[in-house]
Every structure is written in C-alpha cells, then in structure tokens.
Amino acid sequence: MDGRTGRQLLRQEVTEGIKHYILENRLRPGDPLPTEAALCEALGASRSSVREAVKTLHALDIVEVRHGHGTYVGGLSLAALVESLTFRGMLGADDDMRVMADLLEARELFERGLAERIAAGASAEYLDTLDVLVARMREQAAADGADGAGFVEADRAFHAHFVSASGNALIGQLSVAFWDVYALVAPYLNVVGPGDGQDTVAAHQRIVDAARAGDADGLSAALADHYAPLRRRLAESRARAAAEANTGGSAAG
C-alpha cells in the first residue's frame, strides 16, 4: 500500500468515525460536535486526519464549520446531490441530458401521486397559499419575465408547497432538489423558450383551480399538461445536440 492510498483509507476511517459519533450520540442538525482535540482523542486520529474528514463531511452538509465557533451537525440537505446532478446535466452528452428527463419524470410522479389526496382534503389555507404564489408568479412575469429571480423563486415555492401535502419530508426534499437541478441546467441547455412565463403561470393556475374544485382527475391532467412542454423542450434540445454532434462528426470525417 502506497502512502497516498494509506492516507485515503485513514481519512475514510476518520470520516466514518465522525458519522458514527453523530449517530451514536443521537445528535440533530445544529448540535455541536466535540472540539478538534476531543475528536482526535476519541478517534485516535491526528489533527490533519480529522481536518480532512471534516472537510469531506462539510462538502456533504453532514457537518457545518462555523469559523470561530466550532463544528456542528449540518443541515443534512441534498446540496451535494444538486451540485453533482447539475454538473452532470451541463456536460451535455445525450446520456447525461437524459438525467434531466428522468428528473422531470420523478417530479411529475411525485406531484401526480398527490392528486387524490389534495383534491380530497386540502385545507383552505393550503389552497390559498398556492393561489398567492401563482399571483406572485403572474406579477413577476409581467415585471421581469420568466428569467427574473422573483419569478423563479415563486415557481420554486409553489412546487415546494404543493408537495408538502405529502407529509413526507424526503419527498419534499427530493422534489425541490430535482426542481433546483432542472432550473439551473435548463437555461444552459437552451430549453426555455419565449412566452414561457405566461404559459407557466396559466399552467399553475389550472393546477390550483382543479385542486380547489376537488377534481382529482382534473388535477392530475393539469399536472401532466404542465410537464408536457417541459419534456418536449428537453427532447428538442437533446435532438439538436445529437444533430450537432453528428454534423461535427461528419465534418471531422
């Protein structure tokens, strides 16, 4: 075993040791971890090994380093997943662009799977919040268009609130993470077209109207109609990329 491999294995061992400490002590997000010196003693590791392990866990949002204050259990978000999928989508290869289509399909499945529950028992407060978010999207579309930060934030908030009806925190986190990846990659892949702001507002309004009417089938159909153009534009983008790749290959040949 060379020195480099040995260091990697040691860092992995210390990383797992810190994770085990968090689990064993039933720590929650925001709880403090022992000092660096205490971790070194508890894990039988050097300061450099503990620091490298903390850096790895910080990148995964398992721990949070607050300079001048110490190290705490992180938010355990899906930030690392979002970053990884975003980079993969931006690579532009057909297989990687397929990931974007898979993300859209997963989001649609999450939301359409909630149609009956929402139609049957959504509270007035829940529906009113959806209406408020659609109104905000409409205002932002008129002011800055679909590319404006206000529109994007309202769109994200709408979908986050919509899936909150599941009562399942993991579904909520995954759905929002997938939304974030698509929102970051879509402009890069040129899949946002003119007039998308008005079309998107109208699609979201139909979703809310069906939910308020207690129409499960109508709500499912409205969601399908919302995702259909997104899938179409992504397919068109993939087709353009494939055509450009073939043209480039022919020219090179």
Coordinates of all heavy atoms in Angstrom, one line a residue, residues 13 21 32 46 58 67 78-79 89 172 181 202 204 214 231:
E13 N -11.7 6.3 7.2 CA -11.9 5.7 8.5 C -12.3 6.8 9.5 O -13.3 6.6 10.3 CB -10.7 5.0 9.0 CG -10.8 4.3 10.4 CD -9.6 3.5 10.8 OE1 -8.8 3.1 9.9 OE2 -9.4 3.4 12.0
Y21 N -20.1 8.8 15.5 CA -20.3 9.6 16.7 C -21.6 10.3 16.7 O -22.3 10.3 17.7 CB -19.1 10.5 16.9 CG -19.2 11.4 18.1 CD1 -18.6 11.0 19.3 CD2 -19.9 12.6 18.1 CE1 -18.7 11.8 20.4 CE2 -20.0 13.4 19.2 CZ -19.4 13.0 20.4 OH -19.5 13.7 21.5
P32 N -23.7 20.8 18.5 CA -22.3 21.0 18.4 C -21.6 19.6 18.5 O -22.0 18.7 19.1 CB -21.9 21.8 19.6 CG -23.0 21.5 20.6 CD -24.3 21.3 19.8
S46 N -5.0 11.9 14.0 CA -4.2 13.1 14.0 C -5.1 14.3 13.7 O -6.2 14.1 13.2 CB -3.1 13.0 13.0 OG -3.6 13.0 11.7
H58 N -18.2 18.3 5.5 CA -18.8 19.7 5.3 C -19.3 19.8 3.8 O -20.4 20.4 3.6 CB -17.7 20.7 5.5 CG -18.1 22.1 5.2 ND1 -19.0 22.8 6.0 CD2 -17.8 23.0 4.2 CE1 -19.3 24.0 5.5 NE2 -18.5 24.2 4.4
H67 N -16.6 29.2 11.6 CA -15.3 29.7 12.0 C -15.4 30.5 13.2 O -16.2 31.5 13.3 CB -14.7 30.4 10.8 CG -14.4 29.6 9.6 ND1 -13.5 28.6 9.6 CD2 -15.0 29.5 8.4 CE1 -13.5 27.9 8.4 NE2 -14.4 28.5 7.7
L78 N -29.7 18.1 0.6 CA -29.3 17.4 -0.6 C -28.5 18.3 -1.6 O -28.5 18.1 -2.8 CB -30.6 16.9 -1.4 CG -31.5 16.0 -0.6 CD1 -32.7 15.6 -1.4 CD2 -30.8 14.7 -0.2
A79 N -27.8 19.2 -0.9 CA -27.0 20.2 -1.7 C -25.9 19.4 -2.6 O -25.7 19.8 -3.7 CB -26.3 21.1 -0.8
G89 N -25.6 17.3 -15.8 CA -26.5 17.8 -16.8 C -25.9 18.8 -17.8 O -26.1 18.8 -19.0
G172 N -40.4 15.8 -0.2 CA -40.3 17.2 -0.3 C -38.9 17.7 -0.7 O -38.7 18.5 -1.6
V181 N -32.1 21.4 -9.8 CA -31.2 21.0 -10.8 C -31.7 21.4 -12.2 O -31.0 21.9 -13.0 CB -31.0 19.4 -10.7 CG1 -30.2 19.0 -12.0 CG2 -30.3 19.0 -9.5
A202 N -50.3 30.2 -16.4 CA -51.6 29.7 -16.8 C -51.6 28.2 -16.3 O -52.6 27.7 -15.8 CB -51.8 29.8 -18.3
H204 N -50.0 26.7 -13.9 CA -50.0 26.7 -12.4 C -51.4 27.0 -12.0 O -51.9 26.5 -11.0 CB -49.0 27.5 -11.8 CG -47.6 27.0 -11.9 ND1 -46.9 26.9 -13.0 CD2 -46.8 26.5 -10.9 CE1 -45.7 26.4 -12.8 NE2 -45.6 26.1 -11.5
G214 N -61.7 20.2 -6.1 CA -61.7 18.8 -5.6 C -61.7 17.8 -6.7 O -62.2 16.7 -6.5
R231 N -41.0 18.5 -21.0 CA -40.4 17.3 -21.6 C -40.2 17.5 -23.1 O -39.2 17.0 -23.6 CB -41.4 16.1 -21.4 CG -41.5 15.6 -20.0 CD -42.1 14.2 -19.9 NE -43.4 14.2 -20.6 CZ -44.5 14.4 -19.9 NH1 -44.5 14.7 -18.7 NH2 -45.7 14.3 -20.6

